[in-house]
Amino acid sequence: MITIFNRKELFITYSLEKQAEIRNLLSAHKIEYTISTMGNTWKANSRGFGINTLAQIEYKIYVKKEDYEKAVFFLNADT
């Protein structure tokens, strides 16, 4: 189980496709991961205030600290 005490940030992306690619790679190598998302922020845009429809979702991918080096190796080998 991954908690805030035993995790390390592996990757940040705004691409749904890249996030899915990394998830598939980690799953294929049996590396446990968790994803945190942020997006749809309220801010001013050219039409006034409200939800900025151009804002993207940020995906942060975390792995266990003990699996970090292995995950980085597979990410670099895949590119």
Side-chain angles (χ1 to χ4, degrees), residues 13-70:
T13 184
Y14 290 93
S15 165
L16 179 62
E17 293 81 13
K18 186 67 174 177
Q19 175 258 137
E21 177 186 323
I22 293 170
R23 273 189 347 207
N24 291 336
L25 180 70
L26 294 173
S27 291
H29 294 286
K30 305 210 181 337
I31 298 173
E32 190 178 354
Y33 64 89
T34 187
I35 297 177
S36 173
T37 60
M38 291 183 67
N40 291 339
T41 57
W42 287 87
K43 61 189 264 185
N45 58 32
S46 61
R47 291 169 276 167
F49 284 92
I51 294 177
N52 183 356
T53 56
L54 300 177
Q56 295 181 337
I57 297 174
E58 176 186 76
Y59 302 95
K60 288 185 179 183
I61 302 172
Y62 298 93
V63 296
K64 288 183 180 179
K65 288 179 184 177
E66 61 197 43
D67 292 334
Y68 180 79
E69 294 297 324
K70 184 165 69 167

